[in-house]
Amino acid sequence: MTGLAERGMTMNERLLLGRSIETGSWVHKLDARSKITGMLLYVVVILLSRSWMAMALLAVFSVVVMASTRIPLKYFLKAAKPLRYLMLFIFIVQVVSVKEGAVWLSIGSWDLYEDGLRLGAFSVIRMFFLITFSALLTFTTTPGKLNQGLEGILSPFKRFGLSPDRITLMIDISLRFIPTILDESQIIMKAQASRGADLKELPLKEKGRMLVSLLVPVIASAFRRAQDLVYSMEARGFRMDAPRSRYHRPIWGGADTVFILMFVVMGVAVAWL
Amino acid sequence: MKEAHEEQANGAKAGQVVIELEGVSFGYGPEHPILQDISFTIPQGQWVSVVGPNGCGKSSLVKLFNALLPAGAGEITVCGMKLEEASIGPIRQSIGMIFQNPDNQFVGATVEEDILFGLEGLCLSHEEMENRLQIYSERLGIAHLLAKHPGELSGGQKQRVAIASILAMEPGIVIFDEASSMLDEGSRDELLSILKGMHAEGRYTLLMITHDADEILASERVLALHGGSLAADVTPAELFRNEELLERCHLRAPYAWRLAGELEERGIQVDVPGSEKELIETLWPYNYSK
């Protein structure tokens, strides 16, 4: 392993998914329901942004809100880093496939069109801000509060037979175990490398084969962990859909309404631009 | 202190039977029997070690007490309640379990959420939850870790969180399923001193599945399993004097005991020591007389 690992950081520290970073900012204090609703509205704002001006406004708004959490911006950038190749791929696909607008550059028989470049850039910007900004939700909300917020938002669907408790528990446990299972994969990869099967040094075909042999022990271990977790939960009296009290009660305040309105105003502004 | 809490463990008085097994069997189908015809009783306040070689059914046995596994035959009574569908809830409230791997029993995303998980299930008021969160996090020395994620904790800290999560639910019976086997020496000692403290309070009945001689020595009674049956129900001293039983259970006597045995074979009679320090105290007059 290189980079962060050499500086003594574990997989858990490197993985930011599902981690809240407490700074006590106004965003941290908001009700999780308003933050989830805000995120959904943010997706709409992104889709409505179709001009360079709108993109610029979106960027300024996103950076200001992210900075107001008092969480260093590098953490938000780290959240987008794993998807940089996907963003590059999307950009290239747009540039290659869109053949509208003025031709900017010609290399042999291939032409670079203005619209291709613009749409490629828009797609990357949209994706970048979607990932970085949505990290704000998990960075400023503990998984427990996030689940309560989700439960609150999903509670109207109870009448249609949906169990919000079940859904939020699944999300909670999945988020909780992602770092653990990644750690375990790393250990198994190292164990295989120590027996001469270093994934990094194998050709692509062999890598594919090795990945299957990696998946089997990882899945087996995940099942074992799941069984242990079930024992631990049941031993603490947990029963699905049984009544539970709540330590953290969500309280909707004026700031929550203002937070939602910010996204509504932004939506109107970018649509107008 | 012990007397003050005598009647607190789920209403059970000291000495009153809190766990009773009568002809209990368990297996994964008739072809794979794990436990056969197990019968014993455990009185309130007793500290019991459950020992035996790997795969002999120790973990399965304790999981039968609160129906985490269903008994195939026999009768189980916990705190006067016969184990059946309707009594599973109250029985699980009266039994707390701490498992081997501290990572796999961490339900919450933070220490605070993990402790609250059981309390919320008890439908306690906010004030009561806050009160217990404070009492048990301070008691286990984890009050400064409440906002931490499991990945930021050491194995010993995770195990203390697991214990706090269980004790906060205030069960009368606490079962440790090889809870120290994944810990380093320092964390093991820490866990043992927590157990000693709990036992001294007198309000807990403790069951500990263990292979550790020091932990066995600290307990009052040993249930030895072998081949799915109860091979012996003895005191730690009786276990450590019985070479054959030790061998069957894949155990070794504590170092001080083995040394005392060697000395006895060479004609130096010493009292059965509780620790290396006690053995040194016993041997010191011999050195002084020379």
Side-chain angles (χ1 to χ4, degrees), chain B residues 39 50 52 62 67 175:
Chain B
S39 300
V50 181
V62 296
I175 299 170

Side-chain angles (χ1 to χ4, degrees), chain A residues 48-193:
Chain A
L48 288 173
S49 306
R50 290 165 187 273
S51 66
W52 287 110
M53 277 297 284
M55 286 290 167
L57 185 63
L58 177 76
V60 171
F61 172 77
S62 306
V63 171
V64 167
V65 177
M66 284 191 272
S68 73
T69 62
R70 301 208 292 266
I71 295 167
L73 288 174
K74 65 178 180 187
Y75 282 94
F76 292 97
L77 292 174
K78 269 184 196 171
K81 203 177 167 188
L83 293 172
R84 60 192 185 279
Y85 295 117
L86 181 65
M87 286 190 262
L88 181 68
F89 176 73
I90 288 170
F91 178 76
I92 292 169
V93 167
Q94 293 277 19
V95 166
V96 170
S97 62
V98 177
K99 298 186 187 306
E100 286 168 25
V103 174
W104 272 31
L105 185 71
S106 288
I107 303 169
S109 61
W110 180 75
D111 297 322
L112 173 63
Y113 291 89
E114 184 192 346
D115 281 7
L117 204 60
R118 186 173 53 83
L119 288 174
F122 279 9
S123 302
V124 169
I125 293 169
R126 281 188 186 126
M127 198 166 171
F128 174 76
F129 280 112
L130 183 66
I131 298 160
T132 50
F133 199 81
S134 56
L136 179 137
L137 181 65
T138 50
F139 284 175
T140 61
T141 324
T142 62
K145 286 181 186 169
L146 197 60
N147 276 332
Q148 277 185 14
L150 204 59
E151 242 177 82
I153 284 173
L154 293 175
S155 58
F157 295 100
K158 266 185 186 170
R159 68 188 71 173
F160 304 113
L162 193 86
S163 169
D165 295 3
R166 222 172 265 253
I167 294 169
T168 53
L169 184 74
M170 280 194 296
I171 296 171
D172 195 15
I173 290 173
S174 307
L175 285 174
R176 152 81 187 84
F177 272 89
I178 286 171
T180 316
I181 289 171
L182 280 176
D183 262 346
E184 193 133 300
S185 322
Q186 202 76 21
I187 291 166
I188 294 168
M189 275 167 73
K190 279 181 185 168
Q192 289 180 343

Side-chain angles (χ1 to χ4, degrees), chain A residues 12 18-20 142-145 148 169 172 176-177 180 224-225 228-229 231-239 243-249, chain B residues 63 68-69 85 88 92 95 99 103-109 112-114 116-117 120-121 123-124 126 129-130 133 149-151 165-166 169:
Chain A
N12 278 338
R19 283 294 183 86
S20 62
T142 62
K145 286 181 186 169
Q148 277 185 14
L169 184 74
D172 195 15
R176 152 81 187 84
F177 272 89
T180 316
R224 206 168 38 246
R225 282 182 189 280
D228 285 354
L229 188 71
Y231 283 144
S232 177
M233 289 165 71
E234 289 193 340
R236 286 194 244 175
F238 178 80
R239 281 193 166 193
R244 294 173 70 80
S245 56
R246 289 291 181 200
Y247 182 73
H248 295 291
R249 296 187 198 103
Chain B
K63 285 187 184 107
L68 290 181
L69 292 175
E85 188 58 36
I88 288 177
R92 283 185 179 165
I95 298 179
F99 297 93
D103 269 317
N104 296 359
Q105 56 193 310
F106 218 109
V107 183
E112 183 187 88
E113 283 178 16
D114 197 60
L116 289 172
F117 179 80
E120 289 180 339
C123 294
L124 299 176
H126 180 86
M129 282 194 270
E130 192 166 36
L133 187 63
H149 299 264
S165 303
I166 293 302
M169 296 177 73

Side-chain angles (χ1 to χ4, degrees), chain A residues 8-27:
Chain A
M9 292 182 88
T10 66
M11 177 72 90
N12 278 338
E13 284 167 314
R14 278 180 284 151
L15 198 92
L16 292 166
L17 186 64
R19 283 294 183 86
S20 62
I21 303 163
E22 197 51 58
T23 64
S25 77
W26 72 283
V27 184

